Amino acid sequence: DWTGAGGLVEEGEGSMHTDCVICMTQMRCRMLRPCGHVCVCAACASDLRDCPICRRVVKSTLPAFL
């Protein structure tokens, strides 16, 4: 396994896992600021205070296109 920028994980046959790390049902689509991790869906991002990857305080989110 390899974890790169934004917490995307590549494994097996080169498949990319893009599920939200919180609900694990929706696609990751929000970038957290200021850390820059792309790890959550829009629904989960709306209730987030700290990044689930690095625990930095989330000041804002931006749309991310994967």
Side-chain angles (χ1 to χ4, degrees):
D1 291 352
W2 175 81
T3 302
L8 293 179
V9 177
E10 211 176 345
E11 63 182 26
E13 306 273 320
S15 62
M16 293 295 285
H17 293 274
T18 57
D19 291 343
C20 171
V21 299
I22 296 175
C23 69
M24 302 182 90
T25 59
Q26 300 295 315
M27 188 171 157
R28 301 174 188 195
C29 65
R30 301 299 293 182
M31 180 174 68
L32 307 179
R33 302 276 296 137
C35 67
H37 285 115
V38 178
C39 56
V40 295
C41 66
C44 292
S46 65
D47 296 328
L48 211 55
R49 291 186 200 178
D50 300 325
C51 173
I53 304 296
C54 67
R55 299 293 179 205
R56 286 184 70 179
V57 173
V58 174
K59 296 187 186 264
S60 65
T61 65
L62 297 171
F65 304 96
L66 302 176

